[in-house]
Amino acid sequence: MRPLISVLIPVYQVERYLARCLDSVLAQTYPNLEICMVDDGSTDGSAQIGRRYGEQSAIPVSLTVAQHLGVSHARQRLLEQARGEYLFFLDSDDFLHPRTIETLYGLAVRHGADIVQCKMGHTGEDAMPPMDINNPDERVYPDREQVMVAFLSADSSLRVMLAGKLYRREMLQGIRFPV
């Protein structure tokens, strides 16, 4: 069996987008997922949507409702709750191509990578831009120095953000997100 991948979703005031986000995770072709959500004190219907998916989903879906302390606090709680060998942060107003996690996991295994990043694109309300997921733009950084140079380079395709990347769990052990 393939390892468990935890999809970690901080939630705040996204009633309008959360169902689309969760539907895109449930449509993933990768077979061994869990969804963990922390609602950061939403006052709209976000928590109710998360609860409904937890009750109806065929895969494990958890929702923790917390007081509003910000996205860093929510992400910290998500890290503590996740059980997966790999972790994928997804913003609650984003959604995924159905093969995103399968493709990222395949790249991580093939390259022995600790972090694998995917492209992100701006979309309309209901449309996904065309993507050629069969031909990923692979760039491998074999050591820390090359990764840091790429991160600091103005023309790099590496994005300095948490979401949109598959992480081997060990890469985030001991990390604390400042609240």
Side-chain angles (χ1 to χ4, degrees):
M1 177 176 253
R2 292 185 184 181
L4 179 65
I5 295 178
S6 299
V7 179
L8 309 178
I9 306 173
V11 174
Y12 182 68
Q13 304 294 83
V14 288
E15 177 179 30
R16 183 174 170 187
Y17 304 106
L18 187 56
R20 178 182 67 181
C21 174
L22 294 171
D23 286 341
S24 78
V25 177
L26 294 173
Q28 291 299 298
T29 57
Y30 186 85
N32 195 18
L33 296 174
E34 71 171 353
I35 299 172
C36 302
M37 292 178 281
V38 169
D39 183 290
D40 186 40
S42 295
T43 58
D44 64 1
S46 297
Q48 291 82 356
I49 292 168
R51 280 189 199 95
R52 187 175 70 240
Y53 275 81
E55 294 165 358
Q56 298 173 353
S57 176
I59 68 169
V61 176
S62 67
L63 171 72
T64 301
V65 177
Q67 95 181 63
H68 182 58
L69 295 173
V71 70
S72 293
H73 178 261
R75 286 177 173 158
Q76 191 66 52
R77 302 248 342 239
L78 288 164
L79 273 180
E80 294 162 3
Q81 295 172 8
R83 299 177 301 121
E85 184 178 327
Y86 289 87
L87 309 173
F88 184 85
F89 282 93
L90 179 62
D91 288 343
S92 52
D93 60 347
D94 292 340
F95 59 104
L96 303 172
H97 182 284
R99 288 187 39 222
T100 299
I101 293 176
E102 177 184 10
T103 300
L104 292 175
Y105 174 72
L107 290 168
V109 169
R110 184 170 55 209
H111 295 290
D114 294 323
I115 302 172
V116 181
Q117 172 183 289
C118 64
K119 289 183 179 182
M120 298 178 86
H122 291 281
T123 66
E125 286 293 315
D126 298 316
M128 184 177 293
M131 293 183 202
D132 185 4
I133 202 159
N134 294 314
N135 296 304
D137 179 16
E138 297 179 43
R139 296 177 191 169
V140 177
Y141 303 96
D143 60 53
R144 289 178 190 247
E145 182 177 339
Q146 289 181 36
V147 169
M148 290 309 296
V149 167
F151 262 131
L152 299 172
S153 174
D155 62 344
S156 174
S157 62
L158 285 179
R159 289 185 325 277
V160 184
M161 59 186 286
L162 197 59
K165 296 178 178 72
L166 182 69
Y167 301 86
R168 186 182 309 276
R169 179 182 201 83
E170 292 79 26
M171 293 302 296
L172 298 175
Q173 292 295 340
I175 299 292
R176 300 292 304 172
F177 297 106
V179 175

